[in-house]
Amino acid sequence: GENVEQHPSTLSVQEGDSAVIKCTYSDSASNYFPWYKQELGKRPQLIIDIRSNVGEKKDQRIAVTLNKTAKHFSLHITETQPEDSAVYFCAASRGNNDMRFGAGTRLTVKP
Amino acid sequence: DVKVTQSSRYLVKRTGEKVFLECVQDMDHENMFWYRQDPGLGLRLIYFSYDVKMKEKGDIPEGYSVSREKKERFSLILESASTNQTSMYLCASSQTGSPIQYFGAGTRLSVL
């Protein structure tokens, strides 16, 4: 089955700096890669996703890149703000009900 | 806007008790999921259901069962709660044909 590894487990950046979180997956048939943000005490919310036919996707300050050959994808947050502080989860799926999540990255943005 | 509602935010139960966690979604989604969230382990799938009365085991089904009598409701049952089931439990739903899952706010269960 699919195995998703996520790094780093914790990340601390200064406000205004960029943050990068990386994930690798094992199943070459995976074709959908979402990123979820979970603020303290709240539900995980989808912030951006990418499908395997695209190499990069951007939405304002966040972007995701996908390297299918190397089986890894990354979340990039630019100009970080304190409200970006949260736990971020990556996931990989074949597009069906079988989604596997990474262990999560706790991002802290220091003002 | 998709709404997935978990009936309790916090629960405290005793070892050996039977525990019911309830989840309701209002978007007529066919698929519903129960995950367990533990620090350093991420989200692990316990069970999912793709239709009423249908269920499939996930990665960690031992000690749990589920019930889906109505499309909008998916229940997770701990037949005899144990301390190692102390965790955050997240429910999610999705539409058939879409991989996007929508999550509830979670139930933090403590088993004493």
Side-chain angles (χ1 to χ4, degrees):
Chain A
E2 176 66 277
N3 182 44
V4 178
E5 294 192 0
Q6 181 172 348
H7 300 279
S9 57
T10 61
L11 179 60
S12 181
V13 299
Q14 210 63 38
E15 182 177 359
D17 287 351
S18 294
V20 180
I21 302 170
K22 299 181 179 182
C23 288
T24 61
Y25 62 99
S26 60
D27 186 353
S28 56
S30 290
N31 57 18
Y32 175 70
F33 307 92
W35 285 89
Y36 285 84
K37 174 184 180 182
Q38 186 178 27
E39 296 176 72
L40 191 63
K42 296 191 177 180
R43 71 191 67 210
Q45 293 207 309
L46 180 69
I47 55 171
I48 195 166
D49 56 12
I50 192 167
R51 296 179 190 264
S52 58
N53 58 347
V54 175
E56 183 175 358
K57 184 176 179 181
K58 192 172 181 181
D59 183 4
Q60 299 182 349
R61 294 187 300 107
I62 60 173
V64 57
T65 57
L66 171 65
N67 183 327
K68 284 192 300 180
T69 304
K71 296 203 197 85
H72 67 70
F73 56 112
S74 301
L75 177 71
H76 304 253
I77 307 174
T78 58
E79 300 172 25
T80 53
Q81 301 166 3
E83 52 264 38
D84 294 329
S85 294
V87 177
Y88 292 81
F89 292 98
C90 64
S93 168
R94 291 185 172 192
N96 53 14
N97 294 320
D98 191 17
M99 188 174 292
R100 292 291 185 270
F101 289 83
T105 297
R106 182 173 298 280
L107 173 65
T108 303
V109 180
K110 297 177 181 177
Chain B
D1 193 23
V2 177
K3 193 166 184 183
V4 180
T5 303
Q6 294 183 232
S7 55
S8 304
R9 290 302 304 274
Y10 301 95
L11 273 180
V12 180
K13 297 292 181 181
R14 296 277 180 200
T15 301
E17 279 193 78
K18 190 169 185 176
V19 181
F20 292 85
L21 303 183
E22 306 286 346
C23 176
V24 177
Q25 50 93 5
D26 67 355
M27 284 302 292
D28 203 36
H29 284 172
E30 293 81 10
N31 307 312
M32 297 188 74
F33 307 82
W34 275 106
Y35 291 93
R36 174 175 169 160
Q37 183 179 15
D38 298 291
L41 296 178
L43 278 68
R44 293 179 293 166
L45 182 65
I46 304 171
Y47 268 97
F48 74 93
S49 169
Y50 53 89
D51 201 352
V52 174
K53 297 191 186 296
M54 305 304 289
K55 61 184 179 184
E56 292 282 346
K57 291 181 180 179
D59 295 325
I60 52 165
E62 296 78 18
Y64 304 95
S65 62
V66 290
S67 173
R68 189 148 181 222
E69 296 297 318
K70 293 185 178 182
K71 190 175 185 180
E72 67 270 20
R73 186 180 297 270
F74 193 33
S75 303
L76 180 69
I77 304 157
L78 287 65
E79 295 290 342
S80 178
S82 64
T83 55
N84 62 12
Q85 293 178 309
T86 291
S87 187
M88 170 70 85
Y89 290 88
L90 288 167
C91 174
S93 72
S94 73
Q95 195 170 27
T96 294
S98 170
I100 300 173
Q101 294 187 19
Y102 300 88
F103 284 87
T107 296
R108 186 166 293 283
L109 173 67
S110 295
V111 182
L112 306 178

